[in-house]
Amino acid sequence: MTLTIYDIGIVPSVERFVSTIYLLRHIRVLGFLVVLTLVTSITAYALALHYGHPTTFSSSDPRVGFQTDSGGRASMDIISACASTLITCVYSSVHFDVPRSDAHRLPFLRKLRSRDYWLELWAKATFWLLAVFSPEMLVLHAFYEYVMCRRDVAWMRAHGYAKWSMTLAFAADMGALTVEDPSTVTTATTATTTTTTRARSLHSGFELHEKHFRNHSPAQLNCDALEYELADRTKADVLFKILTALQILRFFAGTVARAAMHLPIAPLETITCAYVACTLVYYLLWLHKPYGVNERVAVRVPPLPEATRITALAVEEPPADASTAKEGRRWARPFRVCWAVVRGRLLEPKLGETDRLHGSERMWQSSPYMTLGSLVAAVASVVVGLAHLACWDVEFPNTSGRALWRACTGALIALPIAVFAIILGAALLDRRWVTEAMNKMALTMIVVYCMARLVLLILLGHSFQSLPKGVYDTQSVAWLSFIPFFH
């Protein structure tokens, strides 16, 4: 079956947050916001340069422009080192779902002529771009998948599937598991019985139990065999992961060594450290998720004898807001009520049947864990903002550059916290008109946040026109040259 834009999405990396139908319905507004962000960011940068004055640098702290051969490292060495570290981290850390088409099976030349191949490649590219330009959103992706799989494992084990693991939960959530449901079909011409196989995609262990194993014993599901088959289809290259780990260690070692020797560090290096830290976070959240699986693994459902009917276990998870603690002292009652609200709304929200069936397929504002996920994304955004804050005293050839840097850095730290507060308030008040009003406020802040990120990205490139001369010094950390590094 040929893929369409409705299958992949206009921007697949945000498809779980906003449906393609909604984006197509508001495509003009979306295009306007994108153009507004680009124009406003570039205009702010241009006005800052126009109305600013040349910066007067101290003679004790000489500044140099873009360096091609400084006797130590060149400007392109810094840029290529940061870019290669970030690219290798992103490439080895982003775990994609199973492709929706069979284009990966085609020979190379036929892939280039296949529309499905380019749609699948576009889906991957949007996640790579999201990891480079907005790593906190990918942290949110990974966190939501992790918590939904953790709840799925807890539910399956409570219902007798003792060997159902996080790997299998992730495999189901990413579409790597299908069901072979043998059915007997009788043909009128030959009056013989043949067996056909119907492949059905799964999204969670809950769906596997409810639709296929409800009348079977949990012991009939061979979890070990499924894990072995998944491991065989996983394309995680151990050597590449080792090289990526060495790349990260070498980059961090160089940055820390320069700080210890009181050598200046380029702002781009500081920001790259924050991005790599976010990359490590979503890599750890996806640690049990199969990497590079292109083919689905079939779960074989054994035939059920007519005389055998096993009643489903009646084990249910306790409500998330139920408190099993005793009443205790009266003065502690408000604290217990607050803890019950926090636990029920944030830490362990109650999952409905639809939530369990779809897994992390939908990450809408009304979805469980989205409030807590917004907090996680806000923390990741603040970490990136703090990296920019560490370059608070960065100087540019123009005096307005520093003021613009500081203003955008303040926005990077304050806006994610404000957006989380709005989302939390909408979740607690739970009123439709309040939610709609707060959503518009949050969208406005997100647009301003994107403008600030774009301006800071432009300023990072502009900073190479006035870096301290010591940035290019390598004599004090000459031992770093003995550690392999790719750039």
Side-chain angles (χ1 to χ4, degrees):
M1 183 180 66
T2 304
L3 293 179
T4 65
I5 194 65
Y6 292 98
D7 298 320
I8 297 297
I10 300 177
V11 186
S13 57
V14 300
E15 175 69 14
R16 293 182 179 180
F17 301 102
V18 184
S19 66
T20 299
I21 297 176
Y22 182 86
L23 288 178
L24 289 174
R25 191 180 302 164
H26 299 84
I27 190 67
R28 293 182 180 179
V29 177
L30 179 64
F32 172 76
L33 292 178
V34 172
V35 173
L36 177 65
T37 301
L38 292 174
V39 172
T40 304
S41 302
I42 297 174
T43 303
Y45 174 73
L47 290 176
L49 293 183
H50 179 73
Y51 289 102
H53 304 284
T55 303
T56 303
F57 300 107
S58 173
S59 58
S60 60
D61 186 19
R63 302 289 172 133
V64 293
F66 198 87
Q67 298 292 298
T68 56
D69 186 12
S70 61
R73 57 178 184 169
S75 297
M76 282 306 302
D77 292 334
I78 298 175
I79 295 173
S80 61
C82 294
S84 61
T85 302
L86 186 58
I87 290 173
T88 52
C89 287
V90 169
Y91 185 81
S92 62
S93 300
V94 178
H95 291 55
F96 297 104
D97 292 347
V98 175
R100 301 186 184 186
S101 71
D102 297 330
H104 58 276
R105 300 177 181 175
L106 300 175
F108 178 72
L109 293 179
R110 289 188 61 189
K111 283 182 180 179
L112 299 180
R113 299 194 301 268
S114 173
R115 182 172 178 268
D116 291 352
Y117 171 76
W118 291 107
L119 285 175
E120 294 283 4
L121 187 60
W122 166 244
K124 293 183 178 181
T126 57
F127 277 94
W128 287 328
L129 292 173
L130 190 68
V132 171
F133 294 104
S134 185
E136 62 273 13
M137 294 304 296
L138 211 56
V139 170
L140 175 57
H141 263 278
F143 172 78
Y144 194 84
E145 289 182 8
Y146 172 80
V147 293
M148 291 301 291
C149 290
R150 184 174 60 85
R151 292 290 292 269
D152 187 59
V153 170
W155 192 93
M156 290 291 284
R157 290 182 178 177
H159 286 72
Y161 300 89
K163 293 188 176 182
W164 186 260
S165 62
M166 287 291 292
T167 300
L168 294 177
F170 270 118
D173 186 71
M174 64 187 284
L177 298 182
T178 59
V179 171
E180 284 187 2
D181 191 4
S183 60
T184 301
V185 180
T186 303
T187 60
T189 54
T190 60
T192 58
T193 301
T194 59
T195 302
T196 60
T197 301
R198 298 175 182 173
R200 300 176 182 177
S201 299
L202 297 172
H203 292 92
S204 64
F206 173 81
E207 182 181 4
L208 176 65
H209 169 80
E210 288 295 314
K211 294 185 177 180
H212 305 285
F213 274 83
R214 190 176 185 86
N215 295 321
H216 291 75
S217 169
Q220 292 181 283
L221 178 62
N222 193 341
C223 295
D224 292 333
L226 289 177
E227 288 209 42
Y228 295 152
E229 197 164 353
L230 279 170
D232 185 58
R233 302 190 184 192
T234 299
K235 295 180 177 60
D237 192 335
V238 177
L239 178 60
F240 182 75
K241 289 185 178 293
I242 293 175
L243 293 177
T244 302
L246 289 176
Q247 184 90 346
I248 295 173
L249 290 175
R250 167 63 173 77
F251 185 83
F252 275 112
T255 306
V256 173
R258 297 186 68 85
M261 299 296 295
H262 302 288
L263 292 175
I265 301 171
L268 181 61
E269 294 177 298
T270 305
I271 307 307
T272 303
C273 288
Y275 275 58
V276 172
C278 290
T279 303
L280 294 177
V281 170
Y282 59 73
Y283 176 77
L284 292 175
L285 290 171
W286 277 332
L287 189 62
H288 297 284
K289 185 175 181 179
Y291 180 85
V293 177
N294 290 332
E295 298 291 340
R296 292 170 175 80
V297 176
V299 181
R300 294 166 182 83
V301 181
L304 185 67
E306 291 295 329
T308 305
R309 291 286 184 249
I310 302 176
T311 305
L313 297 177
V315 181
E316 297 291 341
E317 284 189 308
D321 56 350
S323 177
T324 57
K326 297 181 180 180
E327 284 297 321
R329 298 183 181 275
R330 181 175 299 178
W331 60 268
R333 187 175 301 171
F335 297 99
R336 289 195 301 272
V337 172
C338 292
W339 169 247
V341 173
V342 171
R343 184 185 177 196
R345 294 292 181 92
L346 290 178
L347 302 182
E348 295 181 9
K350 187 176 181 180
L351 301 183
E353 182 176 346
T354 303
D355 299 322
R356 295 189 184 277
L357 285 175
H358 291 284
S360 66
E361 186 181 12
R362 299 173 181 174
M363 299 171 61
W364 299 342
Q365 184 176 339
S366 58
S367 302
Y369 286 110
M370 278 307 293
T371 304
L372 183 59
S374 301
L375 174 61
V376 172
V379 171
S381 300
V382 169
V383 169
V384 175
L386 291 177
H388 290 81
L389 186 64
C391 306
W392 185 259
D393 293 326
V394 62
E395 291 186 298
F396 298 89
N398 192 288
T399 54
S400 298
R402 176 188 283 187
L404 191 59
W405 178 277
R406 291 180 174 180
C408 293
T409 298
L412 239 64
I413 296 175
L415 289 178
I417 300 175
V419 170
F420 167 70
I422 289 174
I423 293 176
L424 178 62
L428 293 177
L429 295 176
D430 197 18
R431 295 291 186 273
R432 183 175 180 180
W433 67 271
V434 174
T435 301
E436 291 178 355
M438 288 186 167
N439 284 344
K440 293 178 180 179
M441 293 172 57
L443 179 61
T444 304
M445 292 182 180
I446 291 173
V447 172
V448 176
Y449 179 84
C450 292
M451 293 178 185
R453 288 290 289 267
L454 186 56
V455 170
L456 288 171
L457 184 63
I458 298 174
L459 289 174
L460 276 177
H462 191 52
S463 67
F464 280 91
Q465 297 297 325
S466 58
L467 288 179
K469 189 176 181 180
V471 167
Y472 301 101
D473 179 24
T474 57
Q475 296 297 323
S476 302
V477 287
W479 55 272
L480 287 172
S481 60
F482 297 102
I483 303 177
F485 193 64
F486 304 96
H487 57 80

